[in-house]
């Protein structure tokens, strides 16, 4: 979800007089640009049902995913970033589980936390990732294989200048900036609308609202979960730099699948609300 590691929404933007409208795609990315992206996503007060060995258990769960990355573009071809370097400053998942009146809390750092990663686009347009000065562990290799690269977000915005009030549809599979490296096979059509121009820390931003149903998979070492999401997001996109300087996410989510818990295959269903926020700043 507006996750670091997806280019930070930095490959677009641009201004334009209000009378003519605004170019929401804007200029191409440039070699040497560096961005710091921070995000927090909470699946809040989720109702979880576990079924194992014929027995069903019900519990409440809140999961908080926190990430921070600093990414620099090392090579650019037109509007496409072909090589980048990212430092994973923070990557944690905190889980709070309430069961039979007792609450347990677990916080776990991701396998790539603290690492520096060089990403390079291959001839077939895919990404190859490697750790800098470090040999990846098996767990890190799995995370690198799932990792996204800094893709252009041109497909999220109309071509040319548009005025406040303009609305359009977007293929959810193009919305890489909203989803972290653990989310794959994203499908659906969402609606976007340019609702107003608003200043954030003195910088004029296009405020864009995004709504719609999305489906996909959440990848996990213990087993994948299918998800259905009713997304409601608001993005403040700088009209000068094209950076999505602020994002807020809301909505609901449902997950279903089978995972291993204590080495036992366990059927899982989850229903909860989404709360998220993120920022990206030019360094």
């Amino acid at each position: 979800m507006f996750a670091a590691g997806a280019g930070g929404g930095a490959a677009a933007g641009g201004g334009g007089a209000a009378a003519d409208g605004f170019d929401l795609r804007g200029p191409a990315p440039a070699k040497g640009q560096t961005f710091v992206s921070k995000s927090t996503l909470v699946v809040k007060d989720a109702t979880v049902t576990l079924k194992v060995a014929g027995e069903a258990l019900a519990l409440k769960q809140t999961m908080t995913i926190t990430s921070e990355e600093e990414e620099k573009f090392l090579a650019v071809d037109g509007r496409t970033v072909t090589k980048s370097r990212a430092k994973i400053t923070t990557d944690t998942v905190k889980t709070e589980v309430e069961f039979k009146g007792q609450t347990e809390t677990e916080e776990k750092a991701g396998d790539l936390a603290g690492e520096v990663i060089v990403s390079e686009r291959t001839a077939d347009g895919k990404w190859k990732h490697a750790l800098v000065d470090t040999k990846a562990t098996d767990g890190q290799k799995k995370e690198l294989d799932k990792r996204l690269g800094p893709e252009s977000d041109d497909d999220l915005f109309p071509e040319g200048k548009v005025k406040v009030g303009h609305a359009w549809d977007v293929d959810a599979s193009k919305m890489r900036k909203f989803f972290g490296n653990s989310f794959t096979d994203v499908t659906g059509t969402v609606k976007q609308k340019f609702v107003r121009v608003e200043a954030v820390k003195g910088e004029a931003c296009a405020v864009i609202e995004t709504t719609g149903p999305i489906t996909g998979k959440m990848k996990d070492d213990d087993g994948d979960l299918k998800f259905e999401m009713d997304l409601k997001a608001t993005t403040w996109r700088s009209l000068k730099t094209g950076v999505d300087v602020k994002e807020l996410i809301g909505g609901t989510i449902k997950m279903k699948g089978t995972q291993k818990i204590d080495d036992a295959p366990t059927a899982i269903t989850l229903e909860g609300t989404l709360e998220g926020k993120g920022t990206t700043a030019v360094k």
Side-chain angles (χ1 to χ4, degrees):
M1 308 197 160
F2 44 24
D20 299 330
F22 300 90
D23 179 6
L24 300 181
R25 291 187 177 183
K31 179 181 178 180
Q33 285 181 314
T34 303
F35 308 91
V36 177
S37 299
K38 302 178 182 180
S39 68
T40 302
L41 180 68
V42 183
V43 181
K44 188 176 182 181
D45 294 332
T47 300
V48 181
T49 301
L50 308 177
K51 291 184 179 180
V52 57
E55 183 179 359
L57 301 175
L59 52 88
K60 285 285 188 179
Q61 175 179 287
T62 294
M63 180 172 61
T64 304
I65 304 169
T66 305
S67 65
E68 179 179 347
E69 292 191 15
E70 179 180 311
E71 186 164 32
K72 182 177 183 178
F73 296 162
L74 302 180
V76 174
D77 182 9
R79 299 184 67 82
T80 302
V81 178
T82 57
K83 189 175 182 180
S84 70
R85 182 178 66 242
K87 181 178 180 180
I88 316 301
T89 306
T90 303
D91 179 17
T92 61
V93 177
K94 181 180 179 181
T95 305
E96 298 175 74
V97 176
E98 182 181 338
F99 179 63
K100 293 184 177 181
Q102 300 294 319
T103 300
E104 292 187 5
T105 301
E106 179 184 35
E107 188 165 347
K108 181 181 178 182
D111 289 310
L112 297 177
E115 300 290 352
V116 177
I117 301 166
V118 170
S119 303
E120 191 163 5
R121 192 183 294 272
T122 60
D124 59 1
K126 297 180 180 180
W127 286 95
K128 178 177 65 176
H129 309 283
L131 300 184
V132 175
D133 299 328
T134 304
K135 183 177 180 180
T137 65
D138 289 342
Q140 289 174 330
K141 289 178 181 177
K142 291 180 181 179
E143 293 302 311
L144 290 172
D145 287 343
K146 294 189 296 185
R147 187 172 172 79
L148 304 175
E151 301 286 359
S152 168
D153 57 7
D154 282 356
D155 289 340
L156 299 184
F157 304 100
E159 187 176 359
K161 293 181 179 180
V162 295
K163 296 182 179 180
V164 171
H166 185 77
W168 64 99
D169 292 343
V170 170
D171 182 344
S173 66
K174 308 295 184 182
M175 301 180 66
R176 296 178 180 89
K177 68 176 183 176
F178 281 100
F179 300 99
N181 299 313
S182 294
F183 290 84
T184 65
D185 302 330
V186 177
T187 60
T189 300
V190 298
K191 296 184 178 298
Q192 296 203 125
K193 186 175 182 179
F194 178 14
V195 294
R196 63 185 181 275
V197 175
E198 185 174 288
V200 177
K201 296 183 178 180
E203 190 166 356
C205 295
V207 181
I208 300 167
E209 293 183 348
T210 302
T211 59
I214 295 172
T215 62
K217 291 181 181 179
M218 184 175 181
K219 305 288 286 185
D220 189 275
D221 289 343
D222 295 321
D224 299 344
L225 298 176
K226 293 182 179 180
F227 74 84
E228 299 177 6
M229 182 185 301
D230 183 16
L231 178 66
K232 297 178 181 180
T234 304
T235 303
W236 285 259
R237 187 175 182 85
S238 169
L239 290 168
K240 178 181 179 181
T241 66
V243 172
D244 294 341
V245 297
K246 184 172 75 168
E247 293 175 308
L248 295 176
I249 280 185
T252 59
I253 190 169
K254 298 179 181 179
M255 293 186 182
K256 185 176 182 179
T258 300
Q259 292 188 326
K260 284 187 177 181
I261 298 180
D262 295 330
D263 293 326
T266 305
I268 299 174
T269 60
L270 177 151
E271 294 188 26
T273 59
L274 291 173
E275 294 181 3
K277 60 182 179 180
T279 61
T280 299
V282 180
K283 186 174 181 180

